Amino acid sequence: MEGPVDARFWQLHMARLCIKQLLPLSFAEGDDFKFMLSRISPALPSSLHSRAICISIFELYQATKETMRTEIAHAQKASKALPMFHLNVELWTSKITSNKYLAIRISYVNPQFQYKSHILAVREHNPPQVLVRNVEHASDILLIWVSGVLSEFNLAPIDLLSSTTDARSDDVFHLCSEAIPATNRAEHKTYWDLCLPHILNRALAGAFGINEGGRSLNPEARAILKRVQVIVQAINRSSNNKTLFEEVQAAEQEAMMTGLASALRLVHDAPQRWAATLQLLERVLRLWNSLRLAFSQLCQPFAIDSDHEQLIELYSLMEPTAHLIRASQNGSRPGGVSAVVVLYWLRRSVLQDSKPLLIVDPAQDSSSIEPEFRPADRLQPLTVSTRKLLLLALKERFFEGYADIASAKRSYMLDMSTYLHPAYRKQPYIEVFLDGVCGGDVETAAAAIRRETKARVREMAIECARAVLEGSLAESAAAPASAPAHTPLLPHQSIDEQDTRQTLHGPHALRGSAATPKGSRPVLLARPQAVSSFWDDYVYDSDDAMAIAAQATPATLSMPPNASPRSILQYARDLVDRELERYSSGEDYFNMVRDMGSPLEKDAALMFWERYSPIYPYLSAVARDLWLHSLRR
């Protein structure tokens, strides 16, 4: 190879390779690898050694960390007074070494309404005994570690808006539900919720009698599922049986001309995986004919031959809940509002023992047949009893906690997120969730939840507006006397110092860029003279944005530059109340649906708040931060 070789480039490239492929640092020192490097440059092998790679990994870590710090700082600055980060703390034990490990992840929505999620640290959890003896609760040690990690990114517990945990008994639960909220002031609440996929998984396990340990609540369902597992094990644990089963599948596919590229495998029921039992049932029902033929050729009894219809009904009962587990656990974005909608549907249909059950047979193509809704009186007795057990399990694990409005630990994050989704702002699910678990009148309790939800959203929006107004007046007071007074900036808005105009950035730039792109027509709104107005000389990059901005100038409210804190607070309340009044009408959302034709599109709420943030500067800031709240750990 001619020309000088950049050893630094190869060191960084090797460091990335070791990180991504989990290679040992000494990998580059092997004879075969050195020989390959020598063909590139004779001097290259001597510069690629474990110490150089270790230094490169450290430098890559520092560069990545600095990038994350910059992103977080920018998002934090744009959020003004609102806490905006969702905390996820993982604590697990290695099955090989029994060592405990901790990981901390934060999620947030940046000023451009983009979802971000970062793992800040992963460390071994082995606190010194002198520290363990000097703390009241083990979660205090976790709080010290979490606070230390957050401080590396210029964050503190006060910046955390919410968190999610698995159980109610471990140290992480106490950290998120007790220790962190105790460090914050009253006006900066940190909300906490249980992991919804974990709740649903445990509810399914209990209802179908497959919970580990203890007495089964549904021994009949457990027995039939055990027979399915035995059938699968009989195929998978014998190479001869597995080969025969694949041959039977191939012959059946050829006869039916299904066009499958290869034989489908029978999956094991892994308790540690989400809804693994559903995957087991789905594959067995799909391969039912092949299994019957294979056991016939093996001259062995097909022990579940008479359970076919029963298994289809159990699968139909399990599938909607298990689907919600997969969707909320495996999704790349938070799905709190979507989970509420599915739970609302489950509570009104699948979990109602008097309603027909939608029958789902994996062996049939659902797109080519009419859906079958089997009446409740035609369901088999085991299906009826399991249906009741599933509702009872979900009541105990989710709905009763939701109905406990008197509890000081009750989180309103779920309700606030749903209230700020324009399609579900009326929250029709509340009465359904309270049915059968509310100690008093359902309508009275539902009204109380709606009032408290709106009050908490209003409180957050007022705090944001107050901080923005105070900051803007402080900047005006510090400006030279000859300089024109600037109006208060909106959340996420920045000043273009190279221009005498205030340019719209972040979520207000509806087509992405703050600058006017080539070919578009810049639109300048007249500058209001009153200090109380929020709108200066904004540049928009589309007629669509211009039309929305034309509605955004609120009626002038009197607030002098030297206003007292009480006047500022009252002014903030008036602005937020105007936003809430307009939002409650739903007119803007209907207009968006009419114009864009996508009312049920994923992330429709973020699309709405991004589009209409000039009209709702403070509610959009709150909605952006609430949207990140996840019901999964």
Side-chain angles (χ1 to χ4, degrees):
M1 183 176 179
E2 298 181 359
V5 175
D6 188 354
R8 182 66 180 148
F9 167 81
W10 286 97
Q11 290 171 356
L12 290 174
H13 181 74
M14 192 62 209
R16 293 190 183 96
L17 187 64
C18 289
I19 294 171
K20 291 182 178 181
Q21 303 298 328
L22 301 179
L23 298 175
L25 299 183
S26 58
F27 178 79
E29 297 177 351
D31 293 337
D32 293 337
F33 194 75
K34 281 186 174 181
F35 174 76
M36 184 184 69
L37 293 177
S38 65
R39 306 301 295 175
I40 301 175
S41 172
L44 193 55
S46 62
S47 62
L48 279 182
H49 47 83
S50 58
R51 178 173 175 80
I53 296 174
C54 181
I55 294 175
S56 298
I57 290 177
F58 176 76
E59 292 175 348
L60 287 174
Y61 169 78
Q62 289 296 110
T64 304
K65 181 178 180 180
E66 190 60 34
T67 300
M68 290 170 55
R69 288 180 60 179
T70 302
E71 290 183 6
I72 292 171
H74 177 64
Q76 189 180 20
K77 182 179 180 181
S79 186
K80 302 299 180 184
L82 294 179
M84 61 174 299
F85 298 99
H86 178 83
L87 175 68
N88 195 335
V89 179
E90 295 278 3
L91 177 61
W92 73 93
T93 302
S94 170
K95 294 183 178 180
I96 300 176
T97 64
S98 297
N99 294 335
K100 291 185 176 182
Y101 295 91
L102 273 169
I104 177 172
R105 175 191 293 271
I106 63 168
S107 305
Y108 60 95
V109 179
N110 69 8
Q112 287 73 40
F113 280 72
Q114 298 169 337
Y115 177 68
K116 298 290 184 178
S117 183
H118 298 303
I119 297 177
L120 300 187
V122 178
R123 296 176 184 173
E124 183 179 0
H125 181 54
N126 186 23
Q129 290 300 313
V130 62
L131 183 60
V132 174
R133 291 192 296 266
N134 291 333
V135 297
E136 181 178 355
H137 197 281
S139 62
D140 295 336
I141 299 176
L142 297 183
L143 179 60
I144 295 173
W145 176 73
V146 170
S147 300
V149 172
L150 291 175
S151 66
E152 294 180 22
F153 294 86
N154 298 322
L155 297 175
I158 197 174
D159 299 311
L160 301 176
L161 176 62
S162 60
S163 61
T164 308
T165 63
D166 268 355
R168 294 180 177 269
S169 57
D170 61 9
D171 298 334
V172 175
F173 157 75
H174 193 271
L175 167 74
C176 296
S177 63
E178 298 281 355
I180 291 179
T183 64
N184 294 344
R185 303 191 302 271
E187 63 269 24
H188 286 273
K189 298 181 178 66
T190 299
Y191 295 92
W192 159 84
D193 275 310
L194 283 171
C195 175
L196 183 63
H198 184 80
I199 292 174
L200 296 177
N201 188 69
R202 300 315 306 158
L204 277 178
F208 284 80
I210 55 178
N211 50 312
E212 300 177 4
R215 183 177 65 88
S216 174
L217 298 177
N218 196 347
E220 189 176 352
R222 182 173 186 171
I224 192 174
L225 292 175
K226 185 65 177 178
R227 291 198 293 272
V228 173
Q229 294 174 3
V230 171
I231 289 293
V232 172
Q233 291 170 2
I235 296 295
N236 286 340
R237 291 183 177 179
S238 169
S239 58
N240 293 334
N241 292 355
K242 186 181 296 185
T243 301
L244 173 64
F245 181 63
E246 292 175 354
E247 292 174 352
V248 169
Q249 273 196 78
E252 185 178 7
Q253 291 169 15
E254 183 178 356
M256 299 181 65
M257 293 183 294
T258 58
L260 294 179
S262 59
L264 296 175
R265 296 178 56 191
L266 292 172
V267 297
H268 290 287
D269 184 10
Q272 74 274 12
R273 294 168 57 196
W274 298 114
T277 304
L278 180 82
Q279 299 172 17
L280 172 72
L281 278 181
E282 184 270 337
R283 193 57 58 88
V284 167
L285 290 172
R286 187 174 177 182
L287 302 175
W288 188 267
N289 293 331
S290 298
L291 282 170
R292 290 183 64 186
L293 184 58
F295 273 83
S296 175
Q297 295 185 16
L298 290 171
C299 299
Q300 296 181 11
F302 189 46
I304 58 175
D305 197 11
S306 61
D307 299 324
H308 186 236
E309 281 301 314
Q310 180 64 82
L311 287 173
I312 289 178
E313 289 188 358
L314 290 179
Y315 177 83
S316 302
L317 183 60
M318 183 187 299
E319 196 274 339
T321 306
H323 175 77
L324 176 56
I325 293 175
R326 290 200 306 267
S328 55
Q329 177 65 20
N330 299 329
S332 60
R333 295 169 179 265
V337 176
S338 300
V340 170
V341 174
V342 177
L343 278 174
Y344 172 62
W345 172 77
L346 285 174
R347 187 70 173 83
R348 295 189 62 187
S349 57
V350 177
L351 300 179
Q352 288 285 352
D353 55 7
S354 61
K355 296 290 184 68
L357 179 65
L358 175 63
I359 299 301
V360 182
D361 187 352
Q364 297 182 350
D365 183 6
S366 58
S367 62
S368 61
I369 61 174
E370 290 292 329
E372 177 190 354
F373 288 89
R374 190 166 296 176
D377 56 1
R378 287 181 49 201
L379 296 174
Q380 300 198 31
L382 177 58
T383 307
V384 174
S385 61
T386 305
R387 198 179 197 182
K388 293 179 179 179
L389 285 173
L390 181 57
L391 175 58
L392 179 62
L394 285 175
K395 281 183 176 180
E396 292 177 350
R397 294 181 177 274
F398 179 79
F399 294 116
E400 288 181 357
Y402 178 85
D404 189 11
I405 58 179
S407 173
K409 293 183 180 180
R410 188 193 187 283
S411 171
Y412 279 85
M413 282 294 296
L414 186 63
D415 300 298
M416 291 191 292
S417 301
T418 310
Y419 173 67
L420 288 179
H421 192 299
Y424 309 113
R425 67 190 184 284
K426 294 184 179 180
Q427 302 169 294
Y429 64 89
I430 295 180
E431 285 82 1
V432 176
F433 283 9
L434 295 177
D435 184 28
V437 294
C438 180
D441 180 63
V442 171
E443 292 185 0
T444 302
I449 291 177
R450 288 189 175 95
R451 284 196 305 271
E452 182 65 20
T453 299
K454 185 175 180 179
R456 294 190 180 216
V457 169
R458 180 176 180 268
E459 178 185 357
M460 292 181 67
I462 289 173
E463 179 66 16
C464 178
R466 183 194 59 77
V468 171
L469 292 172
E470 288 182 348
S472 178
L473 291 179
E475 292 178 3
S476 299
S482 59
H486 283 293
T487 59
L489 293 181
L490 296 172
H492 326 304
Q493 181 188 337
S494 62
I495 299 294
D496 186 350
E497 297 179 354
Q498 303 301 320
D499 199 340
T500 58
R501 300 168 297 186
Q502 292 187 8
T503 307
L504 201 60
H505 288 278
H508 306 295
L510 302 182
R511 302 297 171 87
S513 173
T516 305
K518 183 178 180 180
S520 65
R521 177 166 53 90
V523 179
L524 300 184
L525 302 181
R527 173 181 299 185
Q529 298 299 317
V531 174
S532 60
S533 173
F534 278 151
W535 298 96
D536 218 283
D537 295 353
Y538 295 142
V539 178
Y540 290 86
D541 61 358
S542 71
D543 293 339
D544 184 39
M546 176 195 68
I548 295 175
Q551 310 173 48
T553 304
T556 300
L557 300 176
S558 176
M559 189 184 72
N562 58 348
S564 65
R566 175 177 293 185
S567 299
I568 295 175
L569 180 60
Q570 184 58 48
Y571 181 60
R573 289 171 178 168
D574 292 340
L575 292 175
V576 171
D577 288 340
R578 293 185 178 204
E579 290 188 21
L580 285 170
E581 182 179 0
R582 175 162 181 161
Y583 173 69
S584 299
S585 71
E587 179 182 354
D588 294 321
Y589 179 67
F590 296 146
N591 291 337
M592 185 186 79
V593 172
R594 180 195 62 201
D595 297 340
M596 307 186 71
S598 55
L600 299 180
E601 183 176 334
K602 188 177 181 180
D603 302 338
L606 276 189
M607 181 168 55
F608 171 82
W609 291 114
E610 180 178 7
R611 178 182 174 93
Y612 286 96
S613 54
I615 297 177
Y616 304 101
Y618 302 118
L619 282 185
S620 64
V622 176
R624 185 201 67 177
D625 294 341
L626 289 178
W627 182 86
L628 65 88
H629 180 66
S630 175
L631 288 179
R632 70 166 187 250
R633 65 169 179 82

